Amino acid sequence: MARISAFPLLTIFIFISCITVQVTYGDEEYEFVKAIDPKVALKMKKEKLSLFRFYWHDILSGKAPTSVMVVPPPKTNSFTAFGLVNMIDNPLTVGPELSSKLVGRAQGFYASASQEEIGFLMTMNFAFTEGKYNGSTLTVLGRNPVLKKVREMPVVGGSGLFRFANGYAQASTHNFDPKTGDAVVEYNIYVMHY
């Protein structure tokens, strides 16, 4: 009985596999994805740059806090509170006073992610409730070193009128109460959208 060498069989197997892969993956279209013309998808809308300015109210005190600690920091690092996680549903207002016109809510969380300085990982949606942007959201995900005068975080997307949005948010603390932890932060968001 003749014995067949493993090397020629392996070579034939690899050759057949490459042909199969090329045929299977050589097509531009797949069963689960279809290329579309961006102009058709965006209905010929032009991209524009908008500036949104509002105040973010982080309320930890009182009977109805809008920021709640869900993970306390370990006792070993009290200065930066490394490990702390707060869930938020913070009001967004036109002016720095909580009584000024409400334009939306900041919903998400922030977490103390630095052991050397007070620096938060911010993950939040700005859910707008006013005017033509009612029901639309902008998503911010980034680092917030809160002791700096102006902090910059990326806008990574959005929904509704902010589909395909991108840009950046600048945050600056307007007021902070060290006794309660309550803060008012001015946000200026520069966003490209359609």
Side-chain angles (χ1 to χ4, degrees), residues 27-116:
D27 297 337
E28 190 173 309
E29 304 293 327
Y30 297 95
E31 185 177 309
F32 61 92
V33 64
K34 179 181 177 183
I36 58 174
D37 182 357
K39 293 178 183 175
V40 172
L42 297 172
K43 299 177 186 169
M44 302 301 287
K45 293 181 180 180
K46 291 188 177 186
E47 193 172 27
K48 60 187 169 211
L49 175 64
S50 297
L51 167 61
F52 293 84
R53 177 177 290 134
F54 47 77
Y55 290 84
W56 180 88
H57 299 267
D58 195 43
I59 305 166
L60 287 84
S61 65
K63 294 180 182 179
T66 63
S67 180
V68 178
M69 184 188 314
V70 292
V71 178
K75 302 290 185 212
T76 57
N77 190 339
S78 60
F79 172 69
T80 67
F82 178 69
L84 166 122
V85 178
N86 270 39
M87 290 301 292
I88 62 168
D89 185 14
N90 290 346
L92 304 174
T93 60
V94 172
E97 302 79 22
L98 187 56
S99 60
S100 66
K101 184 176 183 178
L102 183 72
V103 294
R105 311 284 302 185
Q107 298 171 328
F109 69 89
Y110 58 84
S112 179
S114 177
Q115 296 184 55
E116 297 174 2

